[in-house]
Amino acid sequence: MLPPRQQPRPGGLQTSLSLVVSPDACGSPNPQERGSTSDQARDSPSESASSRETWPTSEALMAKKLEKEKENGYAEHSVVRNMSNSDKISLRDIARERVDVIADRMRNLPDEYLEKFKYELRVILEGSGGAQHRNEFQFLQRLVNSRGELTDGILCLTHRTQLEILVAIKTGIQAFLHPSVSLSQASLIDIFLYKRCRNIACGSVLPAEECSCEICSKKNGFCNLCMCAICNKFDFEVNTCRWIGCDLCSHWTHTDCAISNGQIGTGPSVKVGASSAETLFRCHACSRTSELLGWVKDVFQHCAPSWDAEAFVRELDFVRRIFQRSEDARGRKLYWKCEELVEKLKGGVADPMACKVILSFFQGEPDILFLVLTFFYTICDWGVVDK
Ligand SMILES: [Zn+2]
Ligand SMILES: [Zn+2]
Ligand SMILES: [Zn+2]
Ligand SMILES: [Zn+2]
């Protein structure tokens, strides 16, 4: 059994906001589309399986900064005023023109002008312009993705800003344009060519752990250490039932993706010698099954003490949805227990008793103790007993 995703949240480099995701790198480029495939997904308490790849700077901060730059006109006019038309290049030029030609022209451009490209692309990736920005991003990405000549050798000829822009267009991640991110040219080229994980906080050489499974060997940028085997996206959620780990190949899957993709169901026990049925997760990477009750039990036992009331309700809701269609007795019981506790806790009050009730269930306490705890919990809830 894998431990829950307990790796510490990356400090400085947390996330990289991308409204637009790379269609070729992601199974489902449209988060709304993915949500609508499952009626359970609508219950998702957070951003759900959309797995926003977010940049650490808070969105508000970034929006403010962009706003300020907008107000200042980003010094564009003063820079552009002194340039002839033949010197000017656009993001589209960078996306489609020969690397060496653009690199030469960029070398003659003032730094402010180069920053203007990054700013322009960041605004597009920010997506505040709605459909217009989305269309422009998709257009730029199609241009870049259609270029078979962008090999290691050719990308070595790029201007630094040009390479950052090409990588940001290819991945849809604005972190590559951020002033505080300075990856080496070799790393940027590797990310562009899907030889390194595009999650800057991970940065693993791909295929990670030299995995030769079907998904890892597709060479489309998937990283088994940090991405979902179904939607190919990453996020930084840890200590949560939001992710399910495969007991056998250790690849990760968003719970929401597993549910909407029909990877969770009831089947014969995977334990040797056991004849009963249990709720199972079928891994998209290795097609083998892991049992889920032990999984959520481990997550709760390791992580529940650190959850606040909101997190506790969210986690119970994940468990509720995981076991929603369970046909085995223990799975059904867990589903009903979660359903009941979620209802009770919706007021948002942290209740250690609720945690005890669920942990005693996982510990397989004798039913009588479980019933006593549940009864005590219920009368507390009615206010019969002072908390
Ligand atoms: Zn793999
Ligand atoms: Zn990774
Ligand atoms: Zn996913
Ligand atoms: Zn697996």
Side-chain angles (χ1 to χ4, degrees), residues 93-107:
D93 292 333
I94 297 173
R96 77 183 145 205
E97 301 293 335
R98 267 180 50 183
V99 161
D100 53 337
V101 173
I102 294 291
D104 275 350
R105 289 173 69 185
M106 279 183 131
R107 275 182 206 107

Side-chain angles (χ1 to χ4, degrees), residues 34 49 51 228-233 243 253-254 257:
R34 203 175 23 261
S51 150
C228 166
I230 292 176
C231 73
N232 288 16
K233 294 181 189 174
W243 286 90
T253 304
H254 285 121
C257 291

